[in-house]
Amino acid sequence: MNSASAQFVMSRRMNMYEPLHQISSWVDSFRDDAFPNVSPSTIVEVNERLDSLSEDTSSHGAQAPSNKYDQEESKPIDKIQRRLAQNREAARKSRLRKKAYIQQLELSRSKLMQMEQELERVRQQGTYVGGGVEQLPFSPSVNSGIVAFEMEYGHWIEEQNKQICELRNALNANVSDVELRILVDSGMKHYFDLFQLKGSAAKADVFYLISGMWKTSTERFFLWIGGSRPSELLKVLGPQLDPLTDQQVVDVYNLKQSCEQAEEALSQGMEKLQQTLGETIATDHLGEGIYTSEMANNAIEKLEVLVSFINQASILADHLRKETLLQMHRILTMRQAARGLLALGEYFQRLRALSSLWGSRPRQPA
């Protein structure tokens, strides 16, 4: 890379550090200062072990111990143990199905790669050679990271549907807060698992991730940096959580305001990145009908710098979503948190169902 190109990349790098540094600093303060009216309390860890839950339950009853109370308290724990055993068996069967699916997917992928390579070879011969343009040294390939993400996301949806049914049944049966806590913690962890999956997908192809191609068309309509805006979800969930205490109303309002500020900062950073990317592509002269390998390699080098910043924006967006879930968990009672997770899951279910209905609708003849 010549000195002029190196100077260009370095100037772009310095210009882009500023908005993302501001965003990162703001998100750090979001965790500590967003709730001046909320008394400090410990956020329940979503991956808390079952033993800790049992100890918690015992400690709450320490002031008035009795054999009768211990027997009654052991009943929900027994139910939990049985449910966990059932979950382990279901997970084992799911792994077997997954293994068979992977084998079938690998076979289909190899065939697809051959077809795509043949198609792209014909397309390049007709476009680049016929147009007098030097053929670029690019060869199409299937991104194994994205293939794995789509498969894992499909399993994630299946598991979420099961969790929604369990939450609905538990709330209708008016089970104890101990049982609800297990379901709520499991639901929270399930969303955190999705954020980890998205992080892996971003390393494979961040543009695929933030474009929302892994979501249905209706979900993409509400897309914001690879997901949903936390502030919009709070608006959706608000009516489902009533009645709230006066303090809860204040806390939820403060959380929504904090989310909107963080979203605005991230949106401004992404807009600047998009502008910089457009300028990078147009650095070389347009309109001459020539795009050589050297020009392409130079653009790729500049694009690699931009991708690192887009990755950061994607990570910060999911960090904001995770923090919003944790703060709502802290504000709400256990039963309210269960209702909130149920409403959130059903909301995404309806969006996916709407996409399916729209895609299968009868079409008027042209």
Side-chain angles (χ1 to χ4, degrees):
M1 189 166 74
N2 57 38
S3 60
S5 298
Q7 185 177 3
F8 177 87
V9 173
M10 181 61 68
S11 64
R12 291 303 177 197
R13 181 180 292 137
M14 295 182 66
N15 289 338
M16 289 182 291
Y17 267 120
E18 181 178 356
L20 285 172
H21 174 72
Q22 295 173 352
I23 295 169
S24 181
S25 300
W26 193 98
V27 173
D28 288 339
S29 65
F30 170 80
R31 185 189 294 108
D32 300 328
D33 304 326
F35 299 95
N37 297 319
V38 181
S39 59
S41 62
T42 302
I43 297 176
V44 178
E45 293 290 343
V46 296
N47 59 352
E48 187 177 21
R49 294 171 55 186
L50 181 61
D51 294 341
S52 299
L53 291 172
S54 178
E55 292 171 5
D56 261 357
T57 307
S58 302
S59 65
H60 288 308
Q63 296 178 355
S66 69
N67 292 335
K68 180 179 179 180
Y69 179 83
D70 291 340
Q71 292 174 358
E72 291 176 351
E73 196 65 19
S74 66
K75 292 180 180 179
I77 299 300
D78 293 339
K79 293 180 180 178
I80 293 169
Q81 294 284 8
R82 288 196 298 271
R83 181 177 288 110
L84 289 176
Q86 293 172 354
N87 289 344
R88 285 193 293 269
E89 178 63 19
R92 186 186 68 82
K93 293 180 180 179
S94 177
R95 286 193 296 269
L96 293 175
R97 291 195 301 269
K98 178 180 175 181
K99 183 177 179 180
Y101 179 75
I102 291 175
Q103 293 174 347
Q104 181 182 3
L105 187 65
E106 288 294 334
L107 179 61
S108 300
R109 187 180 69 169
S110 62
K111 295 180 179 179
L112 178 62
M113 289 178 63
Q114 294 176 358
M115 294 174 61
E116 286 187 340
Q117 288 173 352
E118 289 295 329
L119 179 62
E120 188 65 20
R121 188 178 297 111
V122 172
R123 184 184 296 117
Q124 288 182 351
Q125 289 175 352
T127 303
Y128 295 125
V129 177
V133 182
E134 179 183 352
Q135 184 169 341
L136 300 179
F138 301 150
S139 60
S141 62
V142 174
N143 192 322
S144 59
I146 295 303
V147 171
F149 169 76
E150 290 184 341
M151 181 183 64
E152 291 292 340
Y153 181 65
H155 289 302
W156 188 91
I157 292 293
E158 291 178 2
E159 180 60 27
Q160 189 191 41
N161 292 336
K162 295 178 182 177
Q163 291 188 356
I164 291 172
C165 291
E166 289 182 351
L167 269 174
R168 186 185 299 112
N169 294 336
L171 287 169
N172 290 337
N174 198 28
V175 300
S176 67
D177 283 358
V178 175
E179 292 181 275
L180 280 181
R181 181 178 180 177
I182 294 294
L183 296 175
V184 168
D185 287 353
S186 178
M188 295 277 287
K189 184 179 182 302
H190 194 57
Y191 279 105
F192 299 164
D193 289 343
L194 176 60
F195 299 148
Q196 289 183 340
L197 287 176
K198 289 171 65 179
S200 299
K203 294 177 182 178
D205 187 349
V206 69
F207 294 113
Y208 165 88
L209 181 72
I210 65 175
S211 68
M213 295 304 296
W214 46 285
K215 286 180 168 289
T216 61
S217 56
T218 308
E219 289 176 293
R220 289 199 297 270
F221 180 73
F222 299 97
L223 190 70
W224 177 76
I225 314 183
S228 303
R229 286 181 179 269
S231 62
E232 292 299 321
L233 293 180
L234 289 176
K235 293 178 183 177
V236 171
L237 295 181
Q240 311 300 323
L241 301 175
D242 288 334
L244 296 173
T245 66
D246 292 342
Q247 185 61 55
Q248 286 178 322
V249 171
V250 172
D251 293 343
V252 173
Y253 175 80
N254 288 338
L255 177 59
K256 187 171 74 68
Q257 292 293 105
S258 298
C259 287
E260 289 175 349
Q261 293 174 19
E263 291 164 5
E264 180 63 22
L266 276 170
S267 295
Q268 290 178 1
M270 284 297 296
E271 288 175 3
K272 187 167 185 178
L273 289 175
Q274 290 172 343
Q275 179 183 357
T276 305
L277 177 58
E279 293 173 354
T280 298
I281 295 174
T283 297
D284 297 306
H285 295 293
L286 299 176
E288 297 179 356
I290 298 176
Y291 197 55
T292 65
S293 299
E294 181 181 357
M295 295 166 61
N297 291 333
N298 187 34
I300 288 295
E301 290 176 355
K302 298 172 184 177
L303 184 59
E304 287 176 349
V305 178
L306 294 170
V307 166
S308 66
F309 294 102
I310 298 174
N311 262 311
Q312 292 181 39
S314 174
I315 292 172
L316 287 173
D318 275 345
H319 177 75
L320 177 60
R321 297 179 184 106
K322 180 177 180 179
E323 284 297 313
T324 303
L325 283 173
L326 287 172
Q327 295 292 356
M328 286 298 289
H329 190 289
R330 191 184 87 175
I331 293 170
L332 302 176
T333 66
M334 192 56 60
R335 200 159 295 274
Q336 287 173 328
R339 284 163 45 201
L341 279 179
L342 176 60
L344 185 63
E346 288 186 342
Y347 173 74
F348 289 123
Q349 273 187 335
R350 292 182 182 185
L351 287 179
R352 291 191 291 268
L354 183 60
S355 292
S356 179
L357 292 173
W358 177 256
S360 61
R361 75 191 189 284
R363 288 170 172 77
Q364 297 292 335

